[in-house]
């Protein structure tokens, strides 16, 4: 379809109100920008047809889901950090050149309690509800020891489990919530079974049509448990354990990487603060301490046996998101080393403070985004005590900013060439381009629109494709004028081929998934 001019129609709506600071941000920054990215969603839910400009591929049939924070206030309480917002799902469904869309708040206990009481009740990333008295403090301590006082706000990831169920989650185990991918209804908590108990989990489990792999930090005996769950099952089984080599607690592990044979467990100097959790007080970096003396390590575990086959010290690093990993074969045909790529911030945790909402909303043209690169670890499997950390390509290729990376999922755990990410065109205070990285030619190309802010690019392969970049890349964008749209790029040329317009701008979101249409 060249143009689908159907006006957006609201079939469901429940209005929320903006806080004064959000209204000020939405009013502009003196340069005409009215980004919706950092403004709470104006409706709790919406569903309708979307106008398409350009040519959507006729083979693009399925549903894109994106999860992320959508509401940064509760009553008169305004949240402090990007990671605090209550989860909002966005759906864009494609069918033979047409598109429909929807968004809806996830009805977590944290969100529903905040609506009822007019204030946050459970602890969010940077938000510790003030206890009213000594009894409240005792209850908080007991609740945190059991995990009951931690949030279940699943505002990070959405993923299909391989058996038709779809889960949203973040870093607390209780945040694992099932949703209906069509209506966006909250189905209920995912009830894990088995004898594995943990309050904290990776926000990015590795999920295939056969299994669910994740890492669970152990705060009591510092280390990580590798657990596996078969598709269609709720039972988590321990595959193995790796002990931390430095620090009093495990390093923050938002995501991790896998190869065909191995699981790579990162251990960086940004470590969980048990004291912060138990006392319901903020640590140096909210729930974490930066402990350079504790060292940085990478551990490699066998996916099938759980045995640790390598544990090496590496240069200091700071990585929230890992991109991919694969095995490099030696002269004898055996894996000689593991290559692990990530969005690396030069061993500096400053990126966490960059994501404070006040700073994001008050951009005045000053270049404040910390530098980042595609960091490449080389982990030897011959028993060597140390590994390498290199820069995979010139950071100027992507504006010295890189995050929210995605790949062709068919290359997960295998040698790959392309990655799709949010890069930077400076000056900026947040990644503001969509960037295709070629790790063979060590080059990058970018899509950029002045004043706009794209979210994570997501790659969808053309059915039957053999080339790694044969498909499209899509991203939901907050426009300069306050509107919002999904941009669809040809993944090979990285040229825009279509826009799918929303009736209004949506808040910034984190991660997405693709659910193909049933034939």
């Amino acid at each position: 379809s060249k143009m689908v001019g159907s006006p957006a129609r609201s079939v469901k709506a429940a209005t929320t109100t903006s806080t004064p600071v959000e209204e000020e941000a939405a009013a502009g920054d003196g340069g005409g920008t009215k980004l919706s990215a950092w403004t709470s969603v104006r409706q709790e839910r919406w569903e309708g047809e979307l106008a398409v400009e350009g040519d959507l591929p006729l083979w693009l049939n399925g549903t894109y889901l994106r999860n992320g924070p959508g509401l940064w206030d509760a009553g008169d309480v305004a949240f402090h950090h990007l990671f605090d917002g209550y989860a909002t799902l966005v759906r864009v469904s494609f069918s033979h050149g047409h598109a429909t869309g929807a968004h809806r708040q996830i009805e977590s206990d944290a969100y529903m309690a905040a609506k009822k009481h007019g204030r946050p009740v459970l602890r969010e990333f940077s938000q510790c509800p003030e206890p009213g008295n000594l009894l409240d403090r005792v209850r908080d301590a007991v609740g945190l020891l059991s995990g009951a006082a931690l949030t279940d706000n699943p505002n990070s990831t959405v993923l299909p489990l391989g058996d038709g169920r779809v889960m949203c989650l973040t870093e607390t185990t209780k945040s694992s919530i099932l949703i209906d991918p069509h209506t966006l209804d909250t189905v209920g908590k995912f009830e894990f079974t088995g004898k594995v108990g943990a309050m904290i989990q990776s926000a990015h489990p590795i999920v295939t049509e056969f299994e669910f792999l994740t890492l669970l930090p152990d705060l009591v005996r510092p280390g990580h448990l590798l657990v596996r769950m078969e598709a269609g099952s709720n039972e988590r089984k321990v595959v193995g354990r790796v002990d931390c080599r430095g620090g009093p607690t495990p390093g923050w592990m938002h995501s991790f990487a896998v190869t065909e044979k191995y699981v790579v467990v990162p251990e960086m100097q940004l470590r969980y603060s048990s004291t912060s959790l138990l006392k319901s007080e903020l640590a140096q970096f909210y729930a974490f301490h930066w402990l350079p003396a504790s060292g940085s390590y990478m551990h490699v575990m066998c996916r099938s046996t759980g045995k640790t086959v390598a544990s090496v010290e590496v240069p200091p690093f700071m990585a929230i998101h890992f991109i991919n990993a694969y095995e490099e074969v030696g002269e004898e045909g055996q894996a000689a080393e593991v290559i692990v790529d990530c969005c690396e911030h030069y061993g500096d945790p400053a990126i966490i403070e960059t994501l404070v909402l006040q700073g994001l909303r008050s951009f005045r043209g000053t270049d404040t985004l910390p530098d980042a690169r595609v960091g490449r670890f080389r982990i030897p499997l011959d028993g060597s005590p140390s590994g390498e950390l290199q820069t995979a390509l010139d950071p100027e290729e992507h504006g010295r900013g890189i995050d929210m990376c995605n790949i062709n999922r068919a290359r997960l755990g295998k040698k790959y060439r392309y990655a799709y990410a949010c890069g930077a065109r400076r000056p900026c205070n947040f990644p503001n381009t969509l960037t295709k990285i070629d790790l063979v030619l060590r080059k990058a190309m970018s899509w950029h629109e002045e004043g706009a802010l794209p979210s994570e690019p997501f790659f969808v392969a053309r059915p039957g494709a053999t080339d790694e970049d044969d498909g499209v890349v899509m991203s939901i964008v907050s426009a300069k004028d306050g509107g919002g749209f999904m941009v669809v790029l040809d993944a090979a040329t990285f040229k825009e081929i279509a826009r799918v317009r929303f009736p209004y701008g949506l808040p910034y979101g984190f991660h997405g998934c693709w659910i193909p249409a049933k034939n």
Side-chain angles (χ1 to χ4, degrees):
S1 62
K2 292 285 185 181
M3 288 283 291
V4 179
S6 303
R9 56 183 178 84
S10 177
V11 298
K12 293 181 181 178
T15 303
T16 60
T17 57
S18 299
T19 63
V21 69
E22 290 174 334
E23 291 172 355
E24 180 182 351
D29 64 359
T33 297
K34 299 180 180 180
L35 281 175
S36 60
W38 319 125
T39 305
S40 291
V41 67
R42 295 183 180 277
Q43 294 179 182
E44 188 177 57
R45 64 195 65 166
W46 179 88
E47 181 178 358
E49 298 176 7
L50 301 176
V52 177
E53 302 171 1
D55 294 288
L56 286 173
L58 296 181
W59 58 259
L60 187 65
N61 295 299
T63 293
Y64 169 77
L65 297 175
R66 191 196 71 175
N67 190 9
L71 186 65
W72 285 294
D73 58 88
D76 294 330
V77 180
F79 286 144
H80 174 74
H81 200 277
L82 175 61
F83 295 166
D84 288 329
Y86 292 121
T88 299
L89 276 174
V90 179
R91 171 178 62 78
V92 182
S93 296
F94 300 91
S95 179
H96 305 289
H98 297 261
T100 59
H103 79 259
R104 187 165 184 171
Q105 301 286 150
I106 297 177
E107 295 177 346
S108 63
D109 292 344
Y111 172 63
M112 300 305 288
K115 283 183 64 176
K116 178 180 178 180
H117 296 282
R119 59 179 177 82
V121 175
L122 300 179
R123 174 170 178 171
E124 302 299 333
F125 180 78
S126 76
Q127 188 78 28
C128 293
E130 288 289 336
N133 51 45
L134 179 60
L135 181 59
D136 285 345
R137 290 184 181 274
V138 173
R139 288 172 177 165
D140 283 352
V142 173
L144 284 164
L145 283 169
S146 66
L150 296 175
T151 187
D152 68 337
N153 175 24
N155 67 0
S156 182
T157 308
V158 55
L159 44 88
L161 296 181
D163 60 0
R165 296 180 294 178
V166 178
M167 178 192 288
C168 295
L169 71 157
T170 187
E171 293 181 5
T172 61
T173 304
K174 64 189 289 189
S175 73
S176 305
I177 293 177
L178 295 174
I179 59 96
D180 184 313
H182 306 293
T183 65
L184 305 187
D185 287 343
T186 301
V187 176
K189 292 288 180 68
F190 186 95
E191 300 295 341
F192 291 104
T193 61
K195 298 181 180 179
V196 183
M199 292 189 300
I200 304 173
Q201 64 186 356
S202 169
H204 291 275
I206 304 297
V207 180
T208 69
E209 60 181 314
F210 306 109
E211 66 180 358
F212 175 107
L213 284 174
T214 193
L215 292 170
L216 306 178
D218 185 343
L219 302 181
V220 178
R221 294 190 304 123
H224 287 95
L225 291 176
L226 171 63
V227 299
R228 180 179 183 270
M229 187 170 66
E230 294 182 3
S233 170
N234 286 37
E235 184 180 5
R236 293 184 301 189
K237 297 180 179 179
V238 176
V239 180
R241 173 190 168 88
V242 60
D243 292 325
C244 290
R245 289 182 54 183
T249 56
W252 185 29
M253 196 263 317
H254 182 76
S255 66
F256 61 100
V258 299
T259 71
E260 292 182 291
K261 295 180 181 179
Y262 304 116
V263 173
V264 182
V265 184
E267 183 183 345
M268 61 182 175
Q269 306 102 309
L270 188 67
R271 298 181 179 271
Y272 291 97
S273 171
S274 298
T275 303
S276 169
L277 293 175
L278 294 176
K279 291 186 176 181
S280 192
E281 297 174 353
L282 296 180
Q284 178 187 11
F285 287 97
Y286 307 107
F288 314 105
H289 285 297
W290 181 249
L291 302 174
S294 66
S296 297
Y297 308 90
M298 298 291 279
H299 312 278
V300 179
M301 302 176 70
C302 179
R303 287 177 67 160
S304 59
T305 67
K307 179 182 178 181
T308 300
V309 299
S311 180
V312 300
E313 187 168 8
V314 294
F317 70 97
M318 171 66 197
I320 301 174
H321 292 114
F322 284 80
I323 304 170
N324 198 19
Y326 58 91
E327 300 147 29
E328 196 75 275
V329 177
E331 295 180 358
E332 298 180 359
Q334 300 295 321
E337 61 180 356
V338 171
I339 307 299
V340 188
D341 293 341
C342 66
C343 304
E344 203 278 311
H345 298 273
Y346 293 94
D348 187 345
I351 184 62
I352 295 178
E353 287 301 328
T354 304
L355 304 180
V356 169
L357 287 166
Q358 182 179 359
L360 295 175
R361 290 169 174 156
S362 60
F363 179 59
R364 296 293 187 274
T366 302
D367 194 31
T368 57
L369 179 68
D371 286 354
R373 59 177 171 169
V374 179
R376 170 163 289 184
F377 292 95
R378 291 187 174 273
I379 307 171
L381 299 178
D382 61 1
S384 299
S386 59
E388 299 178 3
L389 174 56
Q390 305 168 340
T391 302
L393 77 163
D394 184 352
E396 294 294 342
E397 286 285 326
H398 49 79
R400 306 188 321 279
I402 195 80
D403 209 343
M404 310 302 280
C405 270
N406 215 301
I407 62 169
N408 182 332
R409 292 287 294 179
R411 306 308 303 168
L412 177 68
K414 303 175 182 178
K415 200 163 189 175
Y416 71 115
R417 177 172 181 174
Y418 301 112
Y420 309 94
C422 290
R425 182 168 295 186
R426 295 177 182 270
C428 60
N429 69 340
F430 198 82
N432 57 1
T433 72
L434 298 173
T435 299
K436 177 184 180 180
I437 293 170
D438 186 328
L439 291 165
V440 173
L441 296 181
R442 298 168 65 89
K443 292 289 185 181
M445 59 179 73
S446 293
W447 175 94
H448 174 76
E449 183 165 293
E450 186 65 33
L453 197 69
S455 61
E456 175 192 60
F458 194 89
F459 175 85
V460 179
R462 181 182 62 82
T466 55
D467 291 339
E468 187 180 334
D469 62 347
D470 185 356
V472 297
V473 171
M474 56 184 68
S475 170
I476 295 176
V477 182
S478 298
K480 184 178 181 180
D481 63 1
F485 60 91
M486 169 177 275
V487 63
V488 181
L489 309 176
D490 180 284
T493 65
F494 223 58
K495 300 296 184 182
E496 180 176 335
I497 57 175
R499 290 191 181 197
V500 181
R501 290 200 177 272
F502 289 91
Y504 46 79
L506 289 166
Y508 185 80
F510 292 142
H511 304 289
C513 71
W514 176 254
I515 302 174
K518 295 181 180 179
N519 295 328

